[in-house]
Amino acid sequence: EVQLVESGGGLVQAGGSLRLSCVASGLPFDDYAIGWFRQAPGEEREGVSCSSDGDTHYADSVKGRFTISRDSAKNTVYLQMNSLKPEDTAVYYCAAPCPVAGPRDYWGQGTQVTVSS
């Protein structure tokens, strides 16, 4: 059974930082592009960042502020989020594959990120 388990969300003031973690199990970690998506209240889910074959991709809205990385020894993908803005408030999901993941792909349960102004 494939599982993606996120952690690291929370409440932070604007300008602050958070690091999200996604631990993957049940899939060949090094063979999968794994990334982060987010969904704000009343908005559609959007891709944030994707890590695959040594390449990384970012949404324009987070470029220069967010950094994705992965640790194969720990089967973990991280999202370092700096200079957070209130508009970054959303539920953040880990998913595989990326940058496009559909309902039949693998998703975590989500972790809430709230940025106060």
Side-chain angles (χ1 to χ4, degrees):
E1 179 189 5
V2 175
Q3 284 192 318
L4 300 175
V5 180
E6 304 100 332
S7 62
L11 173 65
V12 64
Q13 288 188 330
S17 298
L18 284 173
R19 188 178 79 158
L20 306 183
S21 300
C22 170
V23 179
S25 60
L27 54 73
F29 183 81
D30 289 341
D31 294 341
Y32 264 85
I34 301 176
W36 293 91
F37 297 74
R38 67 185 181 186
Q39 187 167 22
E43 303 288 333
E44 291 189 354
R45 191 173 294 181
E46 63 172 350
V48 174
S49 184
C50 179
S51 171
S52 64
D53 291 334
D55 290 333
T56 57
H57 304 275
Y58 298 95
D60 287 343
S61 58
V62 306
K63 281 181 181 177
R65 300 188 298 121
F66 291 10
T67 303
I68 192 170
S69 61
R70 54 197 296 161
D71 184 338
S72 295
K74 296 181 179 180
N75 280 12
T76 300
V77 177
Y78 302 99
L79 186 69
Q80 178 67 43
M81 306 186 295
N82 298 329
S83 302
L84 282 161
K85 304 175 181 180
E87 51 262 45
D88 294 318
T89 295
V91 178
Y92 283 70
Y93 299 90
C94 176
C98 61
V100 178
R104 295 187 178 183
D105 294 313
Y106 305 120
W107 291 87
Q109 81 286 354
T111 185
Q112 176 70 48
V113 172
T114 303
V115 184
S116 63
S117 57

